[in-house]
């Protein structure tokens, strides 16, 4: 009897620790620098994030071809957080604590970023986050290489209000019901009202994730648009729901000339799943399009297609964000001559690297970067054609000027301020004042 | 008819399922302390009648009274069981994953709410009662075994034992000897007769030998109503009964 | 309608019959010419046109291009039609060498050039040697309006009708004269009616007299749709006196009739959503309802059907593009076979060992669904795959004030057909008889000589195959991605359980009522709350009828 | 009496061992984490503490589910909802503890309310600044939901797949509702960025170790409570309801109340598990309501062994450890491995790991049984695993498995 109990007890203990032991197994080799890749490869977000994992592997391979970093080879550590937010935190902890990665490139949704934030803060890791997001955040350990609302939403609305964009007077703000659209729409609403758009000329509509029956909403949009004033739809509809939305738009005959739809979450990858002929002319606002005519871009696309051995693989904006973020990190590590996070955080502000649209992007003290804003129209071949771009680069604005509570906040991670939410009105750093770790 | 001295009183009861009349204007009266055998071909409505008495099925029409003045149509199964009607199913239904003793323990008369069940200890009175029942159903040697391991006949007895533990005023026993050996059948008849000394009993059975052994008044059901009633000899002499059993 | 764009369903209510009207052709051409004559004093000669066209080379922003387009439109010359169409499609180029303008067709890395005015082939040039003239929405609109004026004289009634519609939506008092001419020359009644409506909308904005405007209000109120409503209400806001009153009355009438139509529209949306639910659930009604297998991999069967469609279309695109319109018809049997075969393999490999343990089938099929999802992800990649819509399924048509899209209509019809077929199989064929016999009394069926394991396997394969063909239809409205099936599995279970397990009609009524309920709630509560309310209603409904809508009644034998 | 039974033979002994191990783990692991130098071979890294702490919460959830599924036959596909509600109650407390240290330095409103322009704290957020209130809500909210839901469902005699599907509908509806930002629970992002719990920094190693110890101890308590429930007369009744519900009704028991009690207790346990989970993972968001999560809980219980007390714990720990390992080691293919595991378990281990172990033991001891018949009173725990006996009321003897229409 005793023997069997002992065996049984062993099973429990062994089971409990199996994970830890086996994860520790790949012992860290000292001659490599590890880079964590934290993108979902399964579950609902795999559709968007898998490409970013491939991008990172590609960039690391390219860097190794150039001789690595600080004389060492780079080594990618890929994990699958499976679109499960708490799993993101677990995996982030594993990457930093167990695998001792020098930096992590990852996350897509705001929830996943929010879930890993405390981990990066606690363990003093580095996260490069490549996706456009709602802003209202600046964290010492995170670098936001995607667009803040002022680098995407506001220029898009500006364009539509301009004569070129059709002098739009009436707005439908349609989004998936989560934080990014809610915040973006709040900012846009405040912005539109500041430009004299009446409340009755703004229609806000939210749908659940993965919404697939768009009949009612598209017909509502049509109705709203038939009031005689030029109408446009600003879509913050999340990835998955876009395909059925555009299919319904096409079928109900909503033409871009009549009611253009400008989207912030629809890129080349999403369009790859669609016949775009009926959608020609609908818009997207990004900081990068595959179709951008720049030597750097052409070179990147060729190398990417060669790497993936797939002539049809498209590129998109979050990929460019990773390219910029990765190059910035490389440059900062070279500048600091170490991968130590504190040194990299100090070194990276002000680092400037070429982006793929033919200019340079710079890491600002608020850990957001400068980017051009491009407005593109969907073409029949599934690509975008740039119809407008900002004359210069736009600095990512982490705290929106159009939200009453964040108006007076700024972020500056350089010493001596070193604060993510400094209130210029009160002269105080809110929240985690003086947190250096 | 007066309900006063009856233990069970059914008058004009009808019920139908999707247009099929399972019970059709059925009237049946059982006196206190009486044992009655109910026979009838398949589909005569025997089990449905029991469903009505025990509250499982609500009648579409008619009166069902228990103990003279309790309207059974207003109560559900658990209420009716607490009023003092115990039922044994056609297919022996015991708690297969409990030991025999626990089967009886759960059936013992007593409070039926959750908290007492959660904290109660077994009392000496309960132990005594269980021992008594084991004496009656003669399963004392199997008390620690899983009910699932009992033979078919033993399960039937266990179920009867569970009914006894409930201490009901009226027992409804559905085909107690189905699948039993002759010896077991005899034993069961003895057991039921012993029970009938202190309880009112309705026995539904096909086995005529068994019914004869019980030696009680017989009611023959057909198509949901009473076809014939009286002693077994009287009923089996009834031409209509012969007809429904043998066909034309 | 973008001229020269993809063939779009003919928006004419009564089918146009150009042949019938051959006799009037001359008239029509004459009218067209007359119209051109009224637009400009004299037809511009070709040299002048070429001069105008050459201006595109210098136009380096949208406004400049727009100005050129307006000038070209103002010439009224039919010759510029092709040129403008090409511009709106983005196939007008400037040759870098000499700033000459051409219409170009992409042929691989090169572009075949044509003369912008007479369309004669000029030669082929590498892409690098040309600059495309960029267009945007605003410009496309301007072009469309310009073409609207030009195409009023077209030979094709459909084109004239489109032109009338464009002019209706962009009323301009300056066009009244042209419209009058067009109306006078128009022989097709439906086109004439639209022209009159276009004229009426222009009249409301003009400074014509009260009588004219009254007549215009009448014409518009007879149209009674959203557009005429908004034009009338705008007019009402600015008008005075009797005009205002009669416009108000017209607005009220239209409002009322539109409200009625709205109910119809909601019913249609509901039916259409219901048929999507039904398609997704109907296979489950067999595997779950009839066989009792809690098949969590059902959604993946639907997904396999959608991927089969994708593969079929890929093959057709590569080998026989002409067959593309038939791709769905070809995909249907393929999807049935693929999903059916996978279902058969699952039944033989896993489920048959688990019969009688329904909750464990849940576990095993959950595992199967994970494997299938990941397999598809590994083979096809995680991103959406493009499943094209055959031309006959694109676009929409108007039935009164109901906008009905062809793909939804096809799905509704298809769904009813599948349902009818399945009913027929279950109720009228020997196989269906065996299936029912086996599910009702297995041992009896076995002793009658029915090979029950075979019936089990085929029944499961049938359910899976039906899920596969549902995937073909659903690929037309949703993302084709590895997560495709996940979106339908919960809804499918809700439908089957709501309708009553084991009853095909229950599934039908369940799907339709949930669909319609959802669509009636949506306008009031929004999509999210609407869905939550439907779920809560299902929970409450199950309290009322614990065995679903169409529960089998009777003396259920209970242990 | 209790101590006597506690150290009795057979199943009870197993419980005693489990509780001892859990309490041992609760003491030893934090000690090894805090007191032992990081370079020592005995040091338990914080990463592992957080990970295993998470598994223990899952184990408690699986145990809660097993109380209703294994012992009462109610297959709830919505237990994740109770877990998440408990987690939200705790998350609300943690949010309120942030006070004015949020990014907007608003002393009253959590950050997500500030940037969505909320002006005042919604009424249901009041009280959550007190730990006792939050602790009460951790139990009361899931308990109340389960009570109301169960009261209606069991009274209407909704059973079998119908019940399973409406529990799924419940969690799905809650998922959609919590996604809505208007609900005031932070929408998709949920509640995060916690600072303190009871005045201690949630990110500190000591706090994490304390939370770990609390989880292990709570799980031990959960095991104890479940064991006491199962061992009582009510526990017997619970299984009686599972095996022959109508029989219990005809014996005068109110089967709906029997189920309702177990369902409510189970929901409360799940809520507590969620409350312990949230401070350890640092976030609670509507993803926890995902029906797929609830199905996974069922899978854990089934893998470990349904209808046993230790089974779900082993299942939860093993499956999650496997998931942690696979997602790191085979990021592209782990779903194949996980899916394959589920299929293999159902095909080859129909009564789970513990069930298989027991039947193996039973076989072994069966050989000794002839010599040692006196031990018959010790009922092996396997006996209450329904999988081993009769399925769907059909005699197991010799009958080939066959499909049955769902009820």
């Amino acid at each position: 009897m005793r023997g069997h109990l002992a065996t049984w007890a062993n099973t429990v203990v062994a089971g409990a620790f199996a994970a830890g032991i086996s994860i520790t197994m790949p012992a860290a080799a000292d001659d490599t620098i590890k880079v964590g890749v934290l993108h979902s490869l399964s579950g609902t977000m795999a559709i968007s994030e898998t490409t970013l994992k491939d991008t990172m592997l590609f960039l690391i391979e390219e860097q190794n071809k150039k001789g690595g970093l600080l004389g060492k080879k780079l080594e990618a550590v890929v994990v699958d957080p499976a679109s499960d937010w708490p799993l993101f935190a677990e995996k982030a902890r594993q990457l930093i604590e167990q695998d001792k990665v020098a930096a992590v490139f990852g996350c897509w949704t705001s929830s996943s970023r929010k879930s890993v934030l405390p981990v990066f803060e606690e363990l003093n890791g580095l996260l490069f986050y490549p996706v456009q997001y709602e802003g209202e955040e600046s964290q010492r350990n995170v670098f936001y290489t995607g667009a803040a609302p002022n680098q995407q939403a506001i220029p898009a609305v500006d364009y539509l209000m301009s004569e070129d964009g059709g002098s739009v007077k009436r707005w439908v703000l349609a989004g998936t019901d989560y934080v990014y659209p809610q915040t973006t729409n709040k900012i846009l609403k405040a912005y539109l009202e500041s430009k004299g758009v009446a409340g009755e000329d703004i229609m806000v509509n939210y749908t659940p994730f993965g919404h697939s029956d768009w009949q009612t909403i598209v017909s509502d949009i049509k109705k709203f648009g038939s009031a005689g004033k030029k109408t446009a739809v600003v879509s913050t509809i999340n990835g998955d729901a876009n395909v059925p939305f555009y299919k319904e738009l096409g079928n109900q005959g909503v033409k871009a000339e009549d009611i253009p739809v400008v989207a912030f979450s629809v890129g080349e990858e999403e369009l790859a799943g669609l016949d775009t002929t009926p959608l020609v002319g609908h818009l997207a606002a990004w900081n990068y399009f595959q179709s951008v005519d720049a030597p750097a871009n052409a070179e990147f696309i060729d190398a990417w297609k060669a790497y993936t051995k797939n002539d049809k693989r498209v590129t998109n904006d979050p990929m460019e964000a990773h390219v910029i973020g990765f190059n910035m990190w490389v440059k900062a590590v070279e500048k600091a001559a170490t991968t130590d996070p504190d040194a990299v955080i100090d070194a990276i502000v002000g680092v400037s690297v070429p982006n793929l649209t033919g200019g340079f992007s710079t890491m600002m003290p608020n850990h957001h970067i400068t980017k051009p804003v491009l407005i593109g129209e969907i073409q029949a071949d599934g690509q975008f054609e740039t119809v407008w771009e900002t004359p210069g680069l736009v600095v990512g604005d982490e705290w929106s000027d159009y939200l009453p509570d964040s108006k007076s906040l700024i972020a500056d991670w350089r010493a001596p301020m070193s604060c993510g939410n400094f209130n210029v009105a009160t002269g105080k750093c809110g929240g985690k004042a003086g947190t250096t770790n | 008819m007066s309900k006063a001295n009856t233990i069970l009183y059914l008058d004009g009861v009808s019920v139908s399922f999707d247009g099929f009349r399972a019970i059709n204007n059925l009237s049946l009266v059982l006196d206190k302390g009486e044992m009655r055998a109910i026979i009838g071909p398949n589909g005569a409505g025997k089990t449905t009648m029991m469903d009505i008495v025990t509250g499982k099925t609500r009648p579409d029409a008619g009166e069902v009274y228990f103990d003279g003045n309790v309207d059974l149509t207003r109560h559900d199964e658990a209420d009716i069981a607490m009023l003092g009607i115990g039922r044994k199913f056609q297919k022996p239904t015991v708690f297969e994953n409990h030991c025999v003793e626990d089967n009886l323990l759960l059936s013992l008369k007593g409070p039926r709410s959750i908290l007492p069940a959660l904290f109660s200890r077994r009392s000496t009175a309960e132990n005594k009662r269980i021992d008594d029942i084991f004496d009656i159903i003669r399963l004392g040697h199997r008390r620690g075994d899983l009910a699932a391991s009992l033979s078919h006949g033993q399960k039937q007895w266990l179920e009867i034992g569970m009914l006894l533990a409930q201490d009901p005023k009226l027992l409804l026993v559905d085909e107690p000897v189905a699948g039993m050996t002759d010896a077991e059948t005899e034993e069961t008849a003895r057991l039921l007769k012993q029970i009938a000394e202190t309880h009112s009993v309705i026995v539904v059975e096909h086995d005529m030998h068994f019914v004869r052994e019980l030696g009680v008044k017989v009611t023959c059901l057909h198509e949901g109503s009473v076809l014939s009633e009286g002693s077994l000899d009287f009923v089996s002499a009834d031409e209509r009964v012969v007809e429904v059993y043998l066909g034309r | 309608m973008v001229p020269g764009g993809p063939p779009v369903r003919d928006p004419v209510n009564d089918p146009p019959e150009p042949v019938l009207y051959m006799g009037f052709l001359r008239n029509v051409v004459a009218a067209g010419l007359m119209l051109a004559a009224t637009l400009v004093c004299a037809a511009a000669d070709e040299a002048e046109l070429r001069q105008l066209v050459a201006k595109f080379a210098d136009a380096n922003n949208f406004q400049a291009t727009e100005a050129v387009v307006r000038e070209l439109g103002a010439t009224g010359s039919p010759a510029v039609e092709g040129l403008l169409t090409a511009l709106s499609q983005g196939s007008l180029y400037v040759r870098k060498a000499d700033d000459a303008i051409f219409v170009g067709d992409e042929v691989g890395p090169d572009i075949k050039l044509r003369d912008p005015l007479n369309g004669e082939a000029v030669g082929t040039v590498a892409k690098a040697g040309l600059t495309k003239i960029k267009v945007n929405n605003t410009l496309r609109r301007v072009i469309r309006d310009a073409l609207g004026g030009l195409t009023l004289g077209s030979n094709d009634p459909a084109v004239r009708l489109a032109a009338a519609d464009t002019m209706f939506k962009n009323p301009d008092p300056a066009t009244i004269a042209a419209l009058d001419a067009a109306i006078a020359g128009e022989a097709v009644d439906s086109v004439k009616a639209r022209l009159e409506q276009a004229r009426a909308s222009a009249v409301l904005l003009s400074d014509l007299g009260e009588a004219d405007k009254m007549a215009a209000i009448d014409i518009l109120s007879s149209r009674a749709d959203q557009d005429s409503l908004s034009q009338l209400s705008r007019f009402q806001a600015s008008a005075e006196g009797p005009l205002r009153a009669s416009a108000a009355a017209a607005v009220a009438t239209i409002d009322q009739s539109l409200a009625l139509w709205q109910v119809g529209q909601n019913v249609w949306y509901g039916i259409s959503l219901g048929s999507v639910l039904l398609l997704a659930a109907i296979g489950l009604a067999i595997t779950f309802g009839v066989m009792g297998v809690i098949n969590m991999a059902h959604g993946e069967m639907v997904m396999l059907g959608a991927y089969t469609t994708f593969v079929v279309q890929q093959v057709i695109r590569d080998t026989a593009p002409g067959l593309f319109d038939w791709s769905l018809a070809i995909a249907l049997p393929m999807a049935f076979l693929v999903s059916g075969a996978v279902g058969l393999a699952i039944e033989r490999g896993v489920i048959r060992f688990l019969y009688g343990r329904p909750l464990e089938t849940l576990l095993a099929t959950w595992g199967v669904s994970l494997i299938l999802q990941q397999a598809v992800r590994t083979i096809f990649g995680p991103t959406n795959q493009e499943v094209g819509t055959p031309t006959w399924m694109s676009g929409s048509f108007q039935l009164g004030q109901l906008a009905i899209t062809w793909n939804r209509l096809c799905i509704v019809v298809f769904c009813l057909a599948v349902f009818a077929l399945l009913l027929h199989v279950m109720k009228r064929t020997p196989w269906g008889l065996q299936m029912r016999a086996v599910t009702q009394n297995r041992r009896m069926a076995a002793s009658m000589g029915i090979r029950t394991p075979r019936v089990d396997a085929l029944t499961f394969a049938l359910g899976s195959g039906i899920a596969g063909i549902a995937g073909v239809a659903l690929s037309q409205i949703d993302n084709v991605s590895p997560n495709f099936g996940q979106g339908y599995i919960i809804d499918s279970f809700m439908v089957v359980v709501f309708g009553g397990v084991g009853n095909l009609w229950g599934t039908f009524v369940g799907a339709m009522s949930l669909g319609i309920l959802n669509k009636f709630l949506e306008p009031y509560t929004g999509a999210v709350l609407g869905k939550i309310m439907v779920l809560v209603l299902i929970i409450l409904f199950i309290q009322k009828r614990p065995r679903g809508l169409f529960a089998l009644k009777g003396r259920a034998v209970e242990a | 009496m209790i101590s006597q039974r506690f150290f009795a033979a057979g199943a009870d002994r197993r419980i005693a061992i489990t509780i001892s191990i859990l309490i041992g783990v609760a003491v030893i692991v934090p000690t090894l984490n805090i007191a032992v130098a990081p370079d020592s071979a005995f040091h338990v890294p914080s990463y592992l503490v957080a990970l295993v702490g998470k598994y223990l919460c899952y184990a408690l959830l699986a145990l809660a589910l097993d109380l209703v599924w294994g012992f009462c036959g109610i297959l709830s596909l919505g237990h994740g909802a109770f877990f998440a509600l408990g987690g939200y109650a705790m998350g609300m407390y943690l949010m309120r503890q942030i006070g004015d240290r949020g990014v907007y330095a608003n002393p009253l409103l959590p950050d997500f309310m500030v940037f969505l322009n909320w002006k005042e704290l919604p009424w249901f957020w009041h009280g959550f600044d007190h730990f006792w209130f939050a602790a009460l809500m951790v139990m009361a909210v899931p308990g109340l939901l389960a009570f109301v839901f169960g009261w209606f469902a069991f009274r209407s005699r909704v059973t079998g797949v119908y019940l399973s599907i409406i529990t799924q509908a419940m969690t799905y509806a809650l998922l959609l509702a919590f996604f809505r930002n208007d609900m005031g629970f932070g929408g998709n992002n949920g509640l995060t960025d916690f600072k303190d719990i009871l005045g201690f920094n949630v990110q500190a190693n000591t706090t994490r170790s304390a939370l770990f110890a609390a989880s292990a101890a709570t799980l031990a308590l959960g095991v104890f409570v479940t064991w006491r429930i199962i061992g009582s007369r009510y526990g017997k009744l619970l299984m009686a309801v599972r095996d022959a519900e109508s029989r219990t009704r005809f014996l005068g028991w109110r089967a709906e109340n029997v189920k309702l009690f177990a369902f409510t207790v189970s929901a409360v346990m799940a809520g507590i598990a969620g409350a312990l989970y949230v401070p350890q993972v640092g976030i609670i968001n509507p993803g926890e309501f995902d029906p797929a999560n609830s199905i996974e809980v069922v899978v854990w219980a089934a893998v470990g062994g349904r209808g046993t007390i230790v089974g779900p714990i082993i299942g939860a720990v093993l499956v999650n450890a496997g998931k942690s390992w696979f997602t790191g080691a085979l990021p592209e293919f782990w779903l194949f491995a996980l899916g394959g595991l589920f299929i293999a378990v159902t095909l080859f281990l129909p009564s789970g790991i513990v069930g298989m172990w027991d039947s193996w033991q039973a076989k072994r001891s069966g050989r000794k049984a002839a010599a040692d018949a006196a031990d018959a009173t010790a009922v092996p725990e396997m006996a209450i695993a329904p999988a081993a006996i009769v399925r769907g009321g059909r005699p197991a003897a010799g009958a080939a498995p066959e499909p049955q229409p769902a009820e």
Side-chain angles (χ1 to χ4, degrees), chain D residues 115-138:
Chain D
F115 77 69
L116 291 178
N117 289 346
W118 291 56
K119 290 297 168 233
E120 54 190 295
L121 203 63
W123 59 269
F124 46 83
W125 274 78
H126 288 288
F128 277 95
D129 41 346
H130 306 291
F131 184 77
W132 65 266
F133 183 80
L136 187 70
M137 287 299 126
V138 160

Side-chain angles (χ1 to χ4, degrees), chain C residues 461-518:
Chain C
L462 173 71
S464 304
I466 299 266
I469 58 177
V472 177
L474 298 182
S475 72
Q476 290 303 310
I477 53 168
D478 209 342
N479 290 306
V480 179
S481 75
N483 301 327
F484 185 76
Q486 292 286 294
Y488 291 100
I489 184 76
I490 294 177
D491 286 341
S492 304
F493 271 103
M494 297 293 159
V495 165
V496 174
V497 163
F498 177 70
V501 173
N503 188 316
L504 283 180
W505 279 106
T507 307
F508 180 84
V509 177
M512 288 302 166
S513 39
L514 289 185
I516 293 176
L517 179 66
N518 211 326

Side-chain angles (χ1 to χ4, degrees), chain C residues 403-472:
Chain C
I404 293 177
T405 56
W406 283 99
N407 68 342
R408 295 277 176 182
L409 183 66
C410 291
I411 285 174
V412 171
V413 170
F414 176 70
C415 160
L416 293 178
V418 169
F419 183 74
L421 189 74
L422 198 62
L423 268 189
H424 177 79
V425 168
M426 295 294 280
K427 295 270 156 76
R428 296 267 185 275
T429 65
W431 181 26
L433 186 67
Q434 290 188 358
M435 230 185 295
R436 282 179 295 142
V438 169
T439 49
Q440 276 167 27
N441 191 335
R442 163 168 304 273
R443 261 163 241 183
M444 184 60 89
S447 60
M448 303 282 284
I450 297 173
R451 281 190 284 165
T452 54
R454 191 166 156 264
V455 173
D456 288 339
L458 289 180
T459 309
F460 196 84
L462 173 71
S464 304
I466 299 266
I469 58 177
V472 177

Side-chain angles (χ1 to χ4, degrees), chain A residues 2 4 8 20 22 53 80 85-86 90-91 93 97-98 111 122 136 177-178 182-183 405 421 431, chain D residues 13 18 47-48 51 54 101 103-104 115 180-181 188-189 208 277 285 288 324-325 327 332 334:
Chain A
R2 202 100 317 272
H4 120 230
W8 180 82
S22 32
K53 179 216 68 178
D80 177 13
W85 319 141
E90 180 189 319
K91 292 289 152 196
R93 190 172 285 278
E97 214 170 30
Q98 295 295 304
S111 326
E122 178 195 340
E136 301 301 298
D177 190 3
Y178 71 109
Q182 289 265 6
T183 316
D405 290 282
N421 48 359
Chain D
R13 179 161 204 157
T18 310
Y47 163 62
L48 208 56
L51 200 61
K54 196 169 100 170
R101 287 168 295 170
V103 292
Y104 301 101
F115 77 69
R180 285 167 48 84
N181 280 282
N188 178 52
N189 280 1
R208 188 162 286 127
Y277 171 84
N285 67 23
E288 300 295 338
S324 291
W325 185 67
T327 46
E332 316 256 350
W334 69 278

